Amino acid sequence: MKDHVKELKVLDLKNNTNIFDGELQFIIPLYQRAYAWEDKQLVQLLEDVNDIEEREKYYIGSLIVSNTGEKLEVIDGQQRLTSLYLLLNCLGIDTKHSLSFACRKKSNYTLEHIHEVINETDGDLEGEMLQDNIKTGIKILKENIERKDFDKNKFIEKLSRVILYQIEVPENTDMNRYFEIMNTRGEQLEQHDILKAKLMDYLGDNAEMEKEMFSIIWDACSDMDGYVQMHFISKNNVVRKELFGDSWNDIPIDTLRNYSMRIIPQLGKKQNSQAHKITEIIDPNFKTEEEEGYNENDERVRFESIINFPYFLLHVLKVFIWEKEITHQNPNKKIMDDLLDDKKLITSFNNVIENGIQKGQPIKNDRKKFVRDFTICLLQTRVLFDEYIIKREYANNSNDGEWSLKTLYVSGQGSQKKPYFKNSTFTRVGEWDKTNRNRCKTNIMLESALRVSYTSPKVMHWITSLLSWLTEVCLNKDGKINEHIAAYSEIIEQEAIDEVKNFFKIDNCLNLGVNTPHIILNYLDYLIWERDKNSDRKYEDFTFEFRNSVEHWYPQNPSKGTFDEWDQVDRFGNLCLLQRNINSQFSNIAPDSKKGTYKNQIEKGSLKLRVMAERTSTPQNWRDFECAELEEEMVELLKSKITEQE
């Protein structure tokens, strides 16, 4: 078997070789899907490499191949392999043309001309033969590699410590059948599953009820879609009522031990939270306790979280550290890394437990207390997360979701209670419903601007900040939640304003081109929306979307002979955010041509793009004065927020 498993170095600096310098060519068979990695996966790849510790090897996964003697047919791992091929070339590292796709001419043509695509000298190529997804992948990688905070040399050194396992399947294997099995195999045990078992063990051998209660809470919180209250399914709503009250939306404030003693006996010794008797199930009138939720228009709704459970656990741990004032036993060390990293979930918890100090006492001296306290913090934070951190909401069977901030309520009495969702409350006592609608809309716009700006969950620090503030207001303040929650929009907006302050501290910040932080352009869209929302130019149709590509309105490389190049294309006034598919359509045509040709896309685009189109007359005028005038106006809009705080 050893002969069938090899460690492949992605990059060997000593011998000046890489994974694509082998004797055999990698070929992607036709039964594999086309290349499909986008922002999420590619940015994650770059972050994973950047996070490699000094002198540490990083095993990036496996590559399963069939060795035909003439080529290596890739059965599993082709998306990662293709991305590594693009990455090496974007870094300027020469590779052999040893990767190809079976029966995919456009993909192969693009890989054969990868240098022209990377260097944007592909004007003489057959444009219709270039594969869009591969071009998009190259653009994403280039944008990140060319950022000012990206240390290319350091990254390449770390990449040289990345290992890929190449596993050869036995001869005469049915490749199609093997591929089918590989793509329907069961999931491996996740880190949060291991962490759950570890924390339960800390509760001790004589704490069966607490362990069961811990498991019920953990499992309910682990389902990040929907509202946590609805994941507590039990006969007669025993668990839901005990934890959240008759209204189902109280914040739990009791201890794990007390909840265990009240709830577990009611569930029965051998009865889990969802158990029903056979005689009940076969009854014609039987129905489960879980009910569908409805919005105020009486439409069935479902919700989708913006982060997964491992990342939520890391946010909760940070909130817990802040709330309990936990510090590292070594004053010179941080109790937890700034960067959120789901690969270090267990390590993060171990570090807090083994090295944390709370009120002068080492946490490791009473691990049971840590678990008890953290479990309640987990549940409390999840309730706050559901109520005050945006979700995607889908009505009926629609796939077109929208951003929402909703709170769970119930109507009816006793067993007839039905869940429904309406806007979360952000008003002081005595204020009008219209005030709440306006504040709720403002908060949705601000949070969604943050969400689409920070696409990687590793850097969504704004969630931790908001959850910490909410914990203080809703649990530790003077009980006047309404008086404090009315200021929530100011707390959210501060996250963006802090980034604006940092932006203007950057040298030559108004000429960063594609390196301009997305949060600046998204927050600028928010400011335009806020400024014009009560005017004739209000943008009621505008919503924040994943516009992840910084576009030059006046193009970097004008179409040959059509109009002049401009040496100021990277200036702030000439930039906006676009979806990548629209960016590829915009091509290298002049601003006035874009304005006429892509009217529909512009009308649905970012607000800065819409304003740019409105202000554009001719390419010459845009260069001479229109761009400068718009830039001055937009910069003043950003700086006005800083001035308000001075």
Side-chain angles (χ1 to χ4, degrees), residues 222-252:
S222 69
D223 186 345
M224 291 300 295
D225 292 332
Y227 282 63
V228 70
Q229 296 95 320
M230 300 308 297
H231 303 326
F232 289 95
I233 306 167
S234 59
K235 188 178 179 181
N236 298 322
N237 287 314
V238 168
V239 180
R240 199 176 287 162
K241 288 188 290 187
E242 284 285 355
L243 290 173
F244 309 105
D246 288 337
S247 64
W248 296 1
N249 60 14
D250 293 346
I251 299 176

Side-chain angles (χ1 to χ4, degrees), residues 137-190:
I138 290 170
K139 181 175 177 62
I140 294 167
L141 290 169
K142 277 187 62 183
E143 284 181 0
N144 283 276
I145 289 170
E146 292 171 359
R147 297 188 73 86
K148 286 195 172 183
D149 59 352
F150 188 92
D151 190 328
K152 184 176 176 180
N153 293 331
K154 191 174 181 180
F155 181 87
I156 289 174
E157 191 281 324
K158 290 186 175 186
L159 189 62
S160 71
R161 291 187 269 119
V162 173
I163 305 296
L164 189 69
Y165 276 120
Q166 178 179 296
I167 303 171
E168 292 184 16
V169 299
E171 292 183 30
N172 303 317
T173 300
D174 184 335
M175 293 299 105
N176 288 285
R177 176 61 179 157
Y178 188 89
F179 180 74
E180 179 183 346
I181 294 171
M182 288 294 295
N183 283 276
T184 56
R185 62 192 185 275
E187 295 183 1
Q188 295 181 340
L189 202 63
E190 300 280 0

Side-chain angles (χ1 to χ4, degrees), residues 541-542 547 553 578 582 586 591-614:
D541 64 326
F542 177 71
R547 303 177 177 99
W553 181 237
L578 286 177
I582 297 178
F586 261 46
D592 53 334
S593 297
K594 290 178 181 178
K595 179 178 177 179
T597 306
Y598 300 106
K599 183 178 179 181
N600 290 336
Q601 289 92 329
I602 291 170
E603 288 177 348
K604 297 176 182 177
S606 74
L607 296 190
K608 186 171 186 292
L609 173 62
R610 300 187 200 184
V611 175
M612 290 163 76
E614 291 171 3

Side-chain angles (χ1 to χ4, degrees), residues 21-273:
D21 287 338
E23 295 180 0
L24 300 180
Q25 184 178 43
F26 294 107
I27 186 164
I28 313 299
L30 186 59
Y31 57 75
Q32 295 265 23
R33 63 174 177 157
Y35 181 68
W37 272 21
E38 298 181 341
D39 287 81
K40 180 180 179 180
Q41 297 92 344
L42 289 170
V43 171
Q44 186 72 59
L45 172 63
L46 294 174
E47 289 177 348
D48 286 346
V49 175
N50 259 326
D51 291 343
I52 298 173
E53 302 289 345
E54 191 174 354
R55 294 186 295 277
E56 177 187 80
K57 284 186 178 181
Y58 179 66
Y59 294 88
I60 200 170
S62 59
L63 179 69
I64 299 176
V65 299
S66 172
N67 190 337
T68 67
E70 298 177 352
K71 61 182 181 292
L72 295 172
E73 186 175 313
V74 180
I75 303 168
D76 192 55
Q78 72 101 343
Q79 297 288 335
R80 184 183 297 109
L81 183 68
T82 306
S83 298
L84 289 171
Y85 186 84
L86 303 183
L87 174 60
L88 288 169
N89 280 278
C90 286
L91 289 167
I93 297 168
D94 289 332
T95 62
K96 288 183 180 180
H97 292 298
S98 58
L99 176 67
S100 61
F101 290 76
C103 303
R104 285 197 170 99
K105 291 183 179 180
K106 292 177 72 172
S107 296
N108 291 331
Y109 183 83
T110 309
L111 292 182
E112 289 167 8
H113 296 89
I114 190 168
H115 292 141
E116 291 100 315
V117 176
I118 290 172
N119 297 322
E120 298 183 18
T121 57
D122 53 353
D124 294 330
L125 300 180
E126 300 176 49
E128 69 279 1
M129 283 295 294
L130 293 175
Q131 214 278 335
D132 286 339
N133 285 359
I134 294 178
K135 284 184 66 179
T136 297
I138 290 170
K139 181 175 177 62
I140 294 167
L141 290 169
K142 277 187 62 183
E143 284 181 0
N144 283 276
I145 289 170
E146 292 171 359
R147 297 188 73 86
K148 286 195 172 183
D149 59 352
F150 188 92
D151 190 328
K152 184 176 176 180
N153 293 331
K154 191 174 181 180
F155 181 87
I156 289 174
E157 191 281 324
K158 290 186 175 186
L159 189 62
S160 71
R161 291 187 269 119
V162 173
I163 305 296
L164 189 69
Y165 276 120
Q166 178 179 296
I167 303 171
E168 292 184 16
V169 299
E171 292 183 30
N172 303 317
T173 300
D174 184 335
M175 293 299 105
N176 288 285
R177 176 61 179 157
Y178 188 89
F179 180 74
E180 179 183 346
I181 294 171
M182 288 294 295
N183 283 276
T184 56
R185 62 192 185 275
E187 295 183 1
Q188 295 181 340
L189 202 63
E190 300 280 0
Q191 277 205 38
H192 60 85
D193 297 317
I194 300 170
L195 178 62
K196 176 187 176 183
K198 192 180 186 76
L199 295 179
M200 283 182 70
D201 190 52
Y202 288 153
L203 289 172
D205 296 333
N206 300 316
E208 291 306 313
M209 285 200 301
E210 281 189 283
K211 285 183 177 181
E212 187 171 351
M213 194 69 238
F214 169 88
S215 182
I216 290 171
I217 292 173
W218 183 278
D219 291 346
C221 290
S222 69
D223 186 345
M224 291 300 295
D225 292 332
Y227 282 63
V228 70
Q229 296 95 320
M230 300 308 297
H231 303 326
F232 289 95
I233 306 167
S234 59
K235 188 178 179 181
N236 298 322
N237 287 314
V238 168
V239 180
R240 199 176 287 162
K241 288 188 290 187
E242 284 285 355
L243 290 173
F244 309 105
D246 288 337
S247 64
W248 296 1
N249 60 14
D250 293 346
I251 299 176
I253 57 173
D254 212 336
T255 65
L256 178 64
R257 181 176 176 80
N258 288 345
Y259 282 132
S260 304
M261 294 177 68
R262 290 203 306 270
I263 294 173
I264 300 304
Q266 295 187 64
L267 297 178
K269 292 182 179 179
K270 295 183 179 180
Q271 177 178 308
N272 65 34
S273 61

